[in-house]
Amino acid sequence: MSELGTAAPSIRRSRDVPMLVERARAGDPRAVARLITLVESGDEVLPQVAAALAPYAGQAQVVGLTGSPGVGKSTTTNELVRALRARGHRVGVLAVDPSSPFTGGAILGDRVRMQDHATDPGVYIRSMSSRGHLGGLSAATPQAVRVLEGAGCDVVLVETVGVGQAEVEVASLADTTLVLLAPGMGDAIQAVKAGILEIADIFVVNKADRDGADATVRDINGMIALGERGPGEWRPQVVRSIAARGEGIDDIAAAIDKHRGWLVEHGELRRRREARAAAEIEAIALGVLRARIGSLRDGTGLAALAGRVAEGALDPYAAAGELLAELER
């Protein structure tokens, strides 16, 4: 189900949504690629794509992998794919790469790192450019997840760009979030800081053969112990791995399974997915509003308001109120 290969012209340029969804459901990687391309480009048929995929929402387990650059996210993702395939799961991978602020281009390196699965029909790998979107993901990632769900993937792995402490968007998308760390990268300090470490359901201390691995695990466990949790609340797991050698991957998979069981047992899976849906709806609505505001820029309304604010005749809050009233009309 790899994205590699040359798509037939009928698929490559098609905007026939029912046909594309039918072909994607049958496992055609070219149809999956085309649907994600329509999603990424914001094509006008995107609402049709979303409507066609709606019946298949929530059928895949979504696992997010995030962490600082260099901790081994791509290698860990590659080995997790191997473990999931051994269980017979169909796996989708969305790997987000940073894009140039100047050209918008990106080196989609995960295609190189995951060549082991390039010819596996049960795996679909899609590299996506962040296109300047903050938070570690691409703006199109949530809808791309829906495409892979519709294509019959049992598990979707979402790998973020190398992120900092405040880029935690993946937690709002995933059922289970893995935060990867590595010894010798300042993680003893990071463990006491707010931000990215607070979103982890599972901590993975990768490159655990390095000096300082024990200290990193100890610091994370100390941070977890300081957290306030009520009865029955999830306590983040800490797992060691050496992904480059395939060591500890089964332990990571077991921790994901354990978290999945807790999510289902406590009704948290439904709550998280409803929160995800709410965020999607809000993002789409805000996108529509931005487009309408953009159309006002072409007229005189916004310019007139800006002039009145600049000369002190109107305050910006009142101007915003007038702008919203204009949008309602």
Side-chain angles (χ1 to χ4, degrees):
M1 201 169 161
S2 166
E3 67 175 332
L4 303 180
T6 302
S10 60
I11 294 290
R12 188 187 304 122
R13 292 188 291 271
S14 176
R15 298 169 78 248
D16 183 344
V17 173
M19 181 272 290
L20 289 171
V21 171
E22 181 181 355
R23 296 282 289 272
R25 293 288 297 166
D28 186 340
R30 297 168 301 178
V32 178
R34 179 58 180 160
L35 285 170
I36 294 180
T37 297
L38 292 173
V39 165
E40 283 195 285
S41 63
D43 193 280
E44 63 181 20
V45 301
L46 182 53
Q48 298 176 42
V49 173
L53 293 172
Y56 313 111
Q59 296 186 8
Q61 182 179 8
V62 183
V63 178
L65 296 93
T66 191
S68 302
V71 297
K73 294 188 298 297
S74 296
T75 305
T76 301
T77 301
N78 186 64
E79 294 303 314
L80 269 177
V81 171
R82 195 187 313 279
L84 292 167
R85 288 296 293 142
R87 297 181 175 187
H89 293 313
R90 296 180 71 180
V91 184
V93 178
L94 294 174
V96 184
D97 283 292
S99 56
S100 166
F102 303 103
T103 66
I107 297 176
L108 305 180
D110 295 280
R111 296 186 186 184
V112 177
R113 291 194 178 97
M114 299 184 193
Q115 285 299 302
D116 295 349
H117 310 292
T119 59
D120 186 343
V123 179
Y124 183 88
I125 301 168
R126 176 76 174 215
S127 293
M128 305 177 72
S129 169
S130 63
R131 301 189 182 187
H133 185 75
L134 301 178
L137 299 178
S138 160
T141 306
Q143 294 304 318
V145 168
R146 291 186 177 274
V147 172
L148 293 182
E149 286 183 315
C153 290
D154 302 301
V155 182
V156 176
L157 302 177
V158 181
E159 178 194 332
T160 74
V161 302
V163 298
Q165 291 169 299
E167 293 154 313
V168 296
E169 189 174 340
V170 69
S172 66
L173 177 67
D175 300 324
T176 299
T177 300
L178 277 60
V179 172
L180 276 68
L181 308 103
M185 299 186 70
D187 295 316
I189 299 299
Q190 305 304 330
V192 297
K193 291 187 177 180
I196 189 171
L197 296 189
E198 295 183 339
I199 69 171
D201 298 306
I202 300 166
F203 289 100
V204 178
V205 179
N206 191 33
K207 305 181 182 181
D209 53 338
R210 288 184 176 183
D211 292 339
D214 290 342
T216 300
V217 171
R218 184 172 59 249
D219 291 333
I220 296 170
N221 278 320
M223 182 199 70
I224 293 171
L226 292 174
E228 295 183 2
R229 276 175 294 277
E233 288 189 23
W234 175 255
R235 187 183 194 278
Q237 306 287 289
V238 183
V239 182
R240 300 174 188 244
S241 70
I242 309 173
R245 301 206 297 252
E247 297 178 13
I249 301 303
D250 289 340
D251 294 335
I252 296 174
I256 293 172
D257 290 341
K258 184 176 180 180
H259 184 246
R260 170 79 173 192
W262 177 86
L263 288 172
V264 173
E265 180 183 352
H266 290 82
E268 182 68 10
L269 183 62
R270 180 177 179 84
R271 190 201 68 78
R272 290 192 180 195
R273 291 185 171 180
E274 288 179 351
R276 184 193 311 169
E280 283 186 77
I281 295 167
E282 182 181 12
I284 292 168
L286 287 173
V288 173
L289 285 175
R290 290 191 188 99
R292 291 182 180 176
I293 290 173
S295 67
L296 287 180
R297 286 182 179 274
D298 298 331
T300 60
L302 184 58
L305 287 171
R308 291 168 63 194
V309 170
E311 65 188 18
L314 189 68
D315 69 85
Y317 286 93
E322 291 189 24
L323 179 64
L324 290 173
E326 178 64 26
L327 288 175
E328 289 177 0
R329 289 195 292 270

